[in-house]
Amino acid sequence: MGVESLLVFIIIGAIAGWLAGLIVSGFGFGLIGNIIVGIVGAFIAGWLFPRIGFSIGGGTLAAIIHATIGAIILLVLVKVLKRA
């Protein structure tokens, strides 16, 4: 993985984590936290979506949408587990 790919990966993770934090109320993690949430969300979406047959397509916007949906799933799970 080149430096440019790593930088794009981090930027997409940051955007996805930030968007997920806005959508799921009560979550704000700062820049590093948003990057981590976005990257973990991307892994969740990358694992889950092919199994259910869901695909948006390719490109940067699709990657942001996938990672954001995965990050939302992650934050909702964290919220549910916190209440339990």
Side-chain angles (χ1 to χ4, degrees), residues 64-76:
I64 292 171
I65 292 169
H66 273 105
T68 302
I69 293 170
I72 290 169
I73 292 169
L74 173 67
L75 293 179
V76 168

Side-chain angles (χ1 to χ4, degrees), residues 40-81:
V40 172
F43 282 115
I44 290 171
W47 176 81
L48 181 65
F49 290 170
R51 282 163 177 68
I52 63 174
F54 180 75
S55 178
I56 294 175
T60 306
L61 183 60
I64 292 171
I65 292 169
H66 273 105
T68 302
I69 293 170
I72 290 169
I73 292 169
L74 173 67
L75 293 179
V76 168
L77 286 174
V78 167
K79 197 175 208 179
V80 166
L81 292 176

Side-chain angles (χ1 to χ4, degrees), residues 10 21-23 30 32 34-35 41 53 56 58 66 70 72 80 84:
I10 290 171
L22 289 177
I23 293 170
I32 301 299
N34 285 342
I35 291 171
I56 294 175
H66 273 105
I72 290 169
V80 166

Side-chain angles (χ1 to χ4, degrees), residues 21 24-29 79 82:
V24 179
S25 62
F27 286 94
F29 297 108
K79 197 175 208 179
K82 271 187 161 180

Side-chain angles (χ1 to χ4, degrees), residues 1-14 35 39 42-43 59-60 63-64:
M1 180 181 284
V3 175
E4 296 87 9
S5 298
L6 185 60
L7 185 60
V8 169
F9 194 68
I10 290 171
I11 290 171
I12 288 174
I35 291 171
I39 291 172
F43 282 115
T60 306
I64 292 171

